[in-house]
Amino acid sequence: QVQLVESGGGEVQAGGSLRLSCAASGSIFRLNVMGWYRQAPGQQRELVALITSGGSTNYRDSVKGRFTISRDNTKNTVYLQMNSLKPEDTAVYYCNLRIIDTIYWGQGTQVTVSS
């Protein structure tokens, strides 16, 4: 059974940094896509960044140049380094794993950026 556990969220002032981690456990097929989504109160969940097992990445425009997604395939762990944080980055951040046509979600970690 696949489980995703996020960590690293917290509260930071605008301009600060946080690093999120997501560790996947269970039967993880080597070829997969992992990503980070976020959801602010009253808004839809949106893609922040994703990374394939081969290292290809994709970011939403608003975080380009500020966020970096990476992964350690030996640990089945994905990271999101967030720099120059803005209040509009405040949201619950969810780790996502897609293996073929099956999607798994973590329970989320709160990121709060104060002005």
Side-chain angles (χ1 to χ4, degrees):
Q1 299 298 312
V2 174
Q3 292 185 334
L4 303 176
V5 180
E6 303 102 329
S7 63
E11 186 174 2
V12 65
Q13 294 186 22
S17 298
L18 286 172
R19 192 188 193 210
L20 306 182
S21 298
C22 173
S25 62
S27 299
I28 310 300
F29 186 63
R30 182 172 59 86
L31 302 179
N32 59 68
V33 179
M34 299 189 75
W36 290 95
Y37 291 71
R38 66 187 182 187
Q39 187 169 21
Q43 301 186 34
Q44 294 184 327
R45 189 171 299 184
E46 63 185 21
L47 173 68
V48 178
L50 59 83
I51 183 168
T52 70
S53 53
S56 298
T57 61
N58 192 23
Y59 300 87
R60 72 179 299 107
D61 288 343
S62 62
V63 308
K64 289 180 178 178
R66 300 189 297 121
F67 291 9
T68 302
I69 189 169
S70 61
R71 63 188 293 165
D72 184 341
N73 290 336
T74 65
K75 299 179 179 179
N76 288 321
T77 300
V78 64
Y79 307 93
L80 186 68
Q81 179 67 47
M82 304 184 293
N83 299 326
S84 301
L85 283 162
K86 304 175 181 179
E88 51 262 45
D89 295 318
T90 296
V92 177
Y93 283 69
Y94 296 91
C95 181
N96 169 275
L97 168 66
R98 178 165 60 85
I99 303 175
I100 308 178
D101 61 345
T102 303
I103 299 174
Y104 304 91
W105 292 97
Q107 290 189 313
T109 184
Q110 176 71 47
V111 171
T112 300
V113 184
S114 59
S115 59

